[in-house]
Amino acid sequence: MATVTKYGFTETAKLMTGVSATAFASMALGTSSAADATTLSALVTEVTASGLARASAVSVTVTQSATASDTCYFDHTWTATGTYNIAECGVLNKSTGGSLLCYGTFSPAVPMSSEDTLRVTWSVQVTQP
């Protein structure tokens, strides 16, 4: 399950109005099994080592779902150099700190050992309520 956070909505509104904001292009993994929440401002337990640290999305594209250019895709593949159980992921707007656009969890957690790869692709659609 995945959730767009209140911080993601705030930064998106700033981007739409030209108010100072930074585009979303970083992706992160973590080990917490916390429930998805719109109030999270960051991953609960972000991984910062072993090839699984926050990274720039390799691909950031806009495409059509319901209407023209209404969906953003973020994609990155990590290669582990250590051992972790990955249980959360997110898209942020900075390489450190920043605002969390969206947050999701894996259940069960994804076990990662050295040389394992994990590809995460986010699809975020802008839609009417």
Side-chain angles (χ1 to χ4, degrees), residues 106-117:
F106 301 106
S107 182
V110 178
M112 299 288 293
S113 296
S114 190
E115 297 187 32
D116 285 348
T117 61

Side-chain angles (χ1 to χ4, degrees), residues 40-85:
L40 287 174
S41 60
L43 271 66
V44 178
T45 311
E46 185 173 340
V47 175
T48 60
S50 299
L52 301 173
R54 189 180 303 194
S56 294
V58 173
S59 175
V60 179
T61 58
V62 177
T63 191
Q64 178 175 335
S65 288
T67 60
S69 300
D70 67 344
T71 303
C72 298
Y73 286 96
F74 304 90
D75 181 73
H76 186 78
T77 301
W78 288 266
T79 301
T81 60
T83 302
Y84 282 92
N85 287 316

Side-chain angles (χ1 to χ4, degrees), residues 76-99:
H76 186 78
T77 301
W78 288 266
T79 301
T81 60
T83 302
Y84 282 92
N85 287 316
I86 300 301
E88 61 181 336
C89 61
V91 175
L92 300 105
N93 67 344
K94 295 187 179 176
S95 59
T96 58
S99 296

